[in-house]
Structures are given as structure tokens and as C-alpha cells.
Amino acid sequence: LASFSITPPRALAPDPSTMATSRKVEATPYTRARRAYSDLQKERLAAPCEAYLPDVLKGSPQVVRKEAVPADAKDAETIRGLFPSTYDTPLVEFAPGAAADAAHEPLKVGVVLSGGQAPGGHNVIAGIYDGVKKWHPDSEMIGFLDGPHGIFTGNFVMITDEIMDGFRNTGGFDMLGSGRHKIESEEHFRDSMAVCNAIGLDGLVVIGGDDSNTNGALLAEYFKANGCKTKVCGAPKTIDGDLKCPPHIPISFGFDTACKTYATLVGNVAVDALSAQKYYHIVRLMGRSASNIALEVALLTRPNACLLGE
């Protein structure tokens, strides 16, 4: 957080004009289904994912509340000042529970893709979808379209089994689309809360990188300070590998696949260099301000030199 200039929205008293009765919202008809699949895509769609499900999430896991994760001592008071309502939010972990599902009330959960693509985005959505349906068959999942802009404008779709089953185990972010908009003005925060109230969302999952999760933290602060029932949480999405908090978040999803893909390409270049023996090859890899991808690919392919921005 120290690397961002953060101006949190004012924690206003709940305004009746932002409640669910003040704004009528309707789901947009879904028109983004893929129309054709390759043989490989069909094989991926049919692949079972149960084998990848951690044991702790099988059955009905128990929620264990623990002490809040402490901030670094030198930044603690600054962060508390920015997030007074959510600073002491407890750490929540899952523990193995009963094999049979317990009786629960249906949930209504929203998801939004934010920022650049990362491998695995569709399966993150699938995992959330399967989870809320397992919680209660009548639970509903809302997908906001084209990034955070879809939240404060109320542009969303109802995700169904048919929609979800068309994107399992597939790459891309085209199921919902993504965007690099930010929820930053007072109007954006107010409209976002009005939309979530109108839909009746119990939770909102922001699937994004460091910028997106900072934005999600500000949204969570605003919602809690203003009495909105929607709980906001983030899923760490970035191939840059710069969003981690060991041991709670060892690495963001997408990083491993991106490194393996780049390593294949760099390895091919290395073999070509050995074959021709008359050219120098310089490969520049992305990662914004972090060199995690460059370092990981270098460890996998062993080039003559690796230059790290750090």
C-alpha cells in the first residue's frame, strides 16, 4: 500500500437515495457465448476439475476466524487511518467439515474481472460459481461486464450453468470481459453501492492485480462504513508475480503458466542460437516494475545473462 497514493472516499452516513429501492437494475441478456470449439477446447471443457479441489474444500468446510493479519509496524497507523472500518477484519481460514452439506440460505454473489488477462481467470469464476451452488442450489451469481465500470453502471449478466459450462478450463477473459477502469470518485463509490444494494448482493469478488485489489479494499471500506451488506474480497490475479503475502498468498494465479509459456519460447530461441552460432538474441519479458517473470524464466532456461530491473 505504501507505493500507492490513496485517497479513500468519505464514509458518509447511509443515504436513502443509495438504497435498493432507489435504483432499478436489470441483467443484460448474455451474448458472449463461444460459437465454436477446437478438439482441444472440447477436451478441456469435458475435463473433470474435482481432482484439483483441495481436500479442505470438499464437503462443507468450516470457517475459522483468527486474529487479523498485522500490518508492518511502520505503516500500521497510516493503513488504519485509510481503512478505519476494515483494518481489524479477522483472518478467515477453512477447516475440514462434514461430508454432507448443511442447510444454508441462498447467496447472491457478484464477480468482476479487472485489469489484464491472466491464465486461469475462467476457472476462478467456475470455482466461485460451483461453491455458491454447493452452498445452496438456489444461490445466484452475477457477472459484471467489462471490468469495474460494469459495477457502478449496473452492467451485468446472470451466470447460468449453460454459460459457465462453456468456459471451464479455457483461457481468456472473454466470458465477462475486463477493463482497467477504477472506482475512484465519490460518485463511483455511491453508484457502486446503489447497484449492489439494488441487486441484493451478499458478496462481490474482485479478480485482479495489485491496483484492482487496492480498489477492492477501498470499496470494502466504503461499503462497511455505509452499512452495505455486500462483502468485498479479492482474488489475486496477475502474471507479474508481484502480488503475494506468504504464507497466505504464496503467488498470484497466472504467474506459473505465464512463466512456462515464456520459458518454452525462450528455450526455442536458445536452441536456435546454438544452431546458428552467429547471432545474439535479447528477449524482453513483461512484469511492469517487477522482474519476477524474467528471473523465473532465466532459472528455467539458463540464458547467458539475465538483467533484473531491481
Side-chain angles (χ1 to χ4, degrees), residues 194-213:
V195 169
C196 291
N197 279 329
I199 300 173
L201 287 186
D202 296 293
L204 173 63
V205 181
V206 178
I207 303 172
D210 42 11
D211 280 353
S212 302
N213 276 276

Side-chain angles (χ1 to χ4, degrees), residues 264-302:
T264 299
L265 299 174
V266 172
N268 290 343
V269 171
V271 171
D272 185 66
L274 285 173
S275 302
Q277 297 189 8
K278 60 178 180 178
Y279 298 114
Y280 290 95
H281 295 267
I282 298 175
V283 181
R284 181 172 180 257
L285 298 178
M286 62 184 296
R288 202 162 71 165
S289 58
S291 299
N292 297 309
I293 288 181
L295 177 59
E296 183 71 14
V297 172
L299 292 171
L300 290 169
T301 59
R302 304 303 171 111

Side-chain angles (χ1 to χ4, degrees), residues 8 38 55 82 124-125 127-128 130 181 196 199 235 237 275 287:
S38 67
D55 291 340
L82 291 168
V124 172
I125 298 175
I128 299 168
D130 293 345
H181 320 94
C196 291
I199 300 173
K237 178 276 310 174
S275 302

